[in-house]
Amino acid sequence: MAVARFVAATMLLFAEQTAGAGYHMGKLCRGHACTDTNFPILDYMPNERKCVCRAHPCWEDSGKVHYCNSPKHPFLHFHYKVDRSLI
């Protein structure tokens, strides 16, 4: 029972952190939109204090292009390490 509570609490904490990041991005980039399909991801550059539209990182992964053509898995997803390298 304690393990189940720990897992539930960890999942809730992660969900809150993720929601908080989206809320923060929404405040920083309110009014911005990425309308070019080549650069669909809205990102914030803290050093320049501005919002930018980026290409999907899986479209250029050290010379590889990743894509999804399976109906079971139609979306690309990605994660970054702390050093900002793509996983």
Side-chain angles (χ1 to χ4, degrees):
M1 189 66 150
V3 172
R5 277 190 235 152
F6 174 75
V7 170
T10 302
M11 290 175 67
L12 180 61
L13 178 62
F14 178 74
E16 287 177 3
Q17 288 174 345
T18 303
Y23 176 76
H24 186 64
M25 176 69 90
K27 285 179 65 178
L28 291 171
C29 297
R30 175 173 281 141
H32 292 266
C34 297
T35 56
D36 184 341
T37 57
N38 292 310
F39 304 97
I41 297 177
L42 183 61
D43 196 6
Y44 181 75
M45 298 178 66
N47 294 340
E48 298 179 35
R49 300 179 70 181
K50 70 177 186 177
C51 298
V52 297
C53 295
R54 297 186 183 277
H56 196 293
C58 296
W59 296 343
E60 173 49 50
D61 178 21
S62 302
K64 296 182 208 170
V65 177
H66 302 277
Y67 57 92
C68 299
N69 58 1
S70 167
K72 290 185 178 183
H73 306 284
F75 303 107
L76 288 171
H77 51 95
F78 61 95
H79 300 279
Y80 287 109
K81 295 179 188 176
V82 174
D83 67 359
R84 304 248 330 133
S85 60
L86 193 61
I87 294 177

